[in-house]
Structure formats: C-alpha cells, structure tokens
Amino acid sequence: MEPTPDPFAVIELDVPYAVLREARDRWAAAADELDRCWRRLARASTSGLSAAVTRAVEEFRDPCADELKALGGQAQDHADAFVLYGGQVVLADREQAERLRALLPWAEHAAQVVRR
Amino acid sequence: MSQVVAPPPMDSTPLGAQTLGVDLRGVTVSVKDVQAWAASIAAPGWADASGWAGAAAEAHAHAATCFARRLDVLEAVLDRVVTAADRFEDRLVRLRQWRLDLVAACATVDDAGRAELRRRIAAWTRAYAAAEAEIVTALCGVPVDVDRPDTARLTGELRGLLHAPVALAAWWRRLSRREQEALTTEHPELVGNADGIPVTDRDEANRARLAHDGGRLANADDVQEALDDYAPLIDPATGRALTELIGYQPTLHSGDGGVAISFGDPDIADQVSAMSRA
C-alpha cells in the first residue's frame, strides 16, 4: 500500500539559489531583448522603397515580428515561473519543480526534486 | 524625329535599401545575442535533434533547448534577408549611377545614337526590374537555410587577422556576401572596428550594433542623435547616407566611448582630411 503523502511536506529542487536567480534574470533579460526586437522590426523602414518592395517587406516583417513577440512572451512566462522569496524558490508541487528544472541550464537537468 | 524617353525614376532608392538593411541588421544582432545565450545553456547537440539520443525526451522538454532551436530558425531567415537587402542596396547604387549616365546621354544624343541609347535604356529597365524582383522573392519566399556560413570558423579567422589590415582586406574580399553578413550580425563589434574591412561594411556593422545598444547606453543614444542630425545629407556619388560610422566602441576610454564618423567614403576618396576632438 502506497504511503499517504504528507500534506505538510516541502518540495525542493536541489539546485543552488544563485543558479535559480540567474536563470530567472536571464529569461527576463531575453524577454526584454525580444520585446525590443519585435517592436524594432515592426517599425522597420520602408521609406524610399517601391510599392512592390514595401509590400514584400510587410509580408516578411509582420509574421517575423509575431514570432519574436511570441518568443518574448514565452521567455517572460519562463521568468515569471520562478517565484523567489527569502533566498528560496517557492514550489507548490513536484510538477512545478520539474517544470522549473526544465527552465534551467542543461547542466542542471538531472537535479533532484526532493520532498522533505 | 522621335525623341528618346529617359529611363523612369527609381521608386526604390539606395538610401531606402540602406535604411532597411540597418533596421534588419539591428534586429538580427539582438536575436543572435539571445540565441547565443539560449544555445550556451541548451542540451548538447541542440542544433541537431538527432544529437539528442539518449536524453531526447528530456531535451525536448528542456526550455532553453527548444528556445535555441526556434531562435536559430529565425536567425537563419534574418541572415538571408539581411544579405538580400545588402545586395539590393549595392545594385541600386550601381543602377542609380547607370541611370544618371543615361539621363545625361539623352540630353546630348544625336540621330545616329538614338537606337543604341534606347537599347541601353531598355537594358537598364530590365536590370532594375530584376533587382526589385530579387528582393521581393527573398523577402516573400525565404527558405530555411541548410547550408549556412560557419561563423565560428570565420570568427576565428577574423580574430587572427585583426592586426594585419592588408591580409584582412584580402581575406574579407574572398568571403561571400552571405559570409560577410553572417559575421557582421554575429560580431558587429569586431567587423565594425577592424582596419582592413571596407568602410561601408564597417558602417553596416556599427549601425547594427548601435541599433542594438540604443535605449540602453547613453553613448549609443548620443551617437544616434548625431547621425540623425546628418541623416538628410546624401552622398551624391552613391545615393546612400553621406555619413559612415567607421568606428563605434561605446565602452572605450573608461566608458567615455570612441566614435569615428566619416563624411563620404574615405576608401575611395581622392583626398581625406581628419579631425579629432582632444
């Protein structure tokens, strides 16, 4: 018979806090950079170009900017997934811990999720 | 006696293509920056899904690995488009000069030369249409590139030649336009400040890096402001912007920065005078 999970147990990810904070900051920086990127691309100049070239620039620019925007949003979601408080990462359950582990550098991909 | 109709005006101008190239390169530099970080923390063999054997499921779930691959596709697309924009700009510079010659010829042509001049104008019209068609095709039907320049190898070679301008100039000339553009957006800080690389290529690299730095470094904003002040000045020889940003090192001199701007292209000028602020 499976033991009943302890409702007061704490889920921890066996990764140094500095690594978690660095990962969150880098995802946030990537989000900011990609946000700037899509806005800059969306404003890419078509002045001094013929109507046909302008249309082609727009056809290229818009989906490309959308992709950058989507990637920026994804990076921001990843950054937001790190809830850091008082020198610790706050984890609700094993699923969240595993999700967070997938956002860390590959060197941490085997980090243990432990229940204490 | 029928007159010769002058070639039609160019709806796309060298300056328009140059400005588009600057904008696209700035975006590409930033995308490469983020992609390089994602790749640095991705699973080994991130660029090739077959290299994920053994840890494939984990790698597929690894956010930075998926992110690096997705950005890499975008990077390849941007590299292709930047190269196409650069080629378009060069072609427009040549077409503009060709057109000016034809317009001048129209004013002086005699009866015997009319047929030949019409033939030359028709050739110009076809060449202009071909240049437009090429950039439109490149923008609309960008294929995913399977044969991309090896920027890591090229960067190593470039670094090895940084203090040998003559050798660097010869090496740079041997590169394809795609290789040059890939290096320009991967390492604008190297290309933009390397003696031996043509001024127009250095300008492209430095403007790309300037666009990347804009809003983050006060020095970058100051340089952009200075370039904007001179933006209305067009080089009569090429139709491109008169100013060339031939040196841009925003963190040089303990953060004061170092910048070199030329008016016209000193690589092809008969005479060059230099001024520097003490």
Side-chain angles (χ1 to χ4, degrees):
Chain A
M1 185 174 162
E2 292 266 325
T4 310
D6 177 357
F8 299 106
V10 175
I11 297 289
E12 289 183 359
L13 187 56
D14 190 18
V15 173
Y17 178 71
V19 172
L20 295 164
R21 194 180 52 200
E22 166 82 4
R24 182 202 58 183
D25 292 350
R26 293 306 299 263
W27 280 115
D32 287 348
E33 187 67 64
L34 293 172
D35 186 65
R36 271 193 291 270
C37 270
W38 81 258
R39 290 177 195 281
R40 202 182 307 141
L41 183 60
R43 289 196 309 266
S45 172
T46 53
S47 120
L49 299 174
S50 70
V53 176
T54 296
R55 260 195 316 278
V57 169
E58 287 165 356
E59 279 177 27
F60 162 76
R61 189 179 63 182
D62 296 347
C64 199
D66 287 346
E67 170 70 350
L68 284 168
K69 192 176 181 179
L71 282 164
Q74 197 180 78
Q76 189 59 57
D77 288 346
H78 292 339
D80 293 343
F82 290 84
V83 181
L84 305 178
Y85 181 74
Q88 286 188 320
V89 61
V90 179
L91 297 170
D93 51 30
R94 174 173 286 274
E95 193 178 310
Q96 190 197 354
E98 287 171 352
R99 185 187 165 215
L100 217 56
R101 185 175 58 189
L103 304 179
L104 299 175
W106 179 253
E108 308 290 345
H109 78 280
Q112 296 293 307
V113 176
V114 293
R115 179 184 291 273
R116 297 189 199 279
Chain B
M1 182 65 60
S2 65
Q3 297 298 308
V4 177
V5 178
M10 292 168 62
D11 292 333
S12 293
T13 64
L15 182 62
Q18 182 187 17
T19 308
L20 175 67
V22 167
D23 287 345
L24 293 175
R25 267 186 219 96
V27 172
T28 308
V29 168
S30 297
V31 167
K32 287 189 173 188
D33 208 37
V34 178
Q35 200 279 336
W37 161 72
S40 74
I41 64 166
W46 61 267
D48 176 10
S50 64
W52 296 355
E58 280 179 276
H60 276 294
H62 188 242
T65 302
C66 301
F67 207 71
R69 286 179 61 83
R70 207 164 147 188
L71 274 173
D72 191 53
V73 172
L74 206 51
E75 188 180 305
V77 168
L78 285 165
D79 268 343
R80 292 277 302 209
V81 171
V82 165
T83 302
D86 190 58
R87 186 181 294 120
F88 187 49
E89 178 190 332
D90 277 358
R91 291 178 78 172
L92 290 179
V93 167
R94 288 196 299 272
L95 283 161
R96 177 179 172 278
Q97 186 55 53
W98 186 3
R99 182 180 178 279
L100 290 174
D101 293 344
L102 291 171
V103 169
C106 285
T108 57
V109 67
D110 57 20
D111 291 349
R114 282 203 173 90
E116 172 60 13
L117 183 55
R118 284 195 192 96
R119 191 191 60 74
R120 287 167 54 204
I121 289 173
W124 179 90
T125 306
R126 284 194 300 276
Y128 178 77
E132 289 239 335
E134 187 181 291
I135 184 75
V136 167
T137 302
L139 286 162
C140 293
V142 179
V144 174
D145 209 338
V146 291
D147 184 23
R148 293 164 66 187
D150 182 352
T151 45
R153 177 181 60 78
L154 294 171
T155 302
E157 292 175 7
L158 171 61
R159 285 186 195 279
L161 292 168
L162 282 179
H163 300 292
V166 175
L168 177 58
W171 175 79
W172 185 258
R173 274 196 304 273
R174 284 198 300 272
L175 298 183
S176 68
R177 188 185 296 266
R178 286 177 59 206
E179 289 173 323
Q180 290 177 352
E181 286 297 338
L183 264 180
T184 296
T185 48
E186 187 82 25
H187 290 293
E189 76 287 358
L190 294 180
V191 173
N193 297 290
D195 290 336
I197 290 181
V199 159
T200 50
D201 293 337
R202 289 174 62 165
D203 173 75
E204 289 171 358
N206 287 327
R207 285 181 193 261
R209 189 165 170 224
L210 183 66
H212 173 69
D213 290 346
R216 271 178 290 207
L217 290 173
N219 281 346
D221 295 337
D222 290 344
V223 173
Q224 187 62 63
E225 200 175 314
L227 289 176
D228 289 346
D229 285 346
Y230 294 115
L233 301 180
I234 307 300
D235 187 336
T238 63
R240 300 170 76 248
L242 183 65
T243 52
E244 307 273 6
L245 185 55
I246 58 179
Y248 171 65
Q249 294 174 286
T251 57
L252 198 68
H253 305 310
S254 306
D256 286 347
V259 171
I261 294 175
S262 72
F263 293 85
D265 183 350
D267 279 345
I268 56 171
D270 293 331
Q271 294 179 325
V272 177
S273 64
M275 291 176 288
S276 67
R277 204 172 71 172

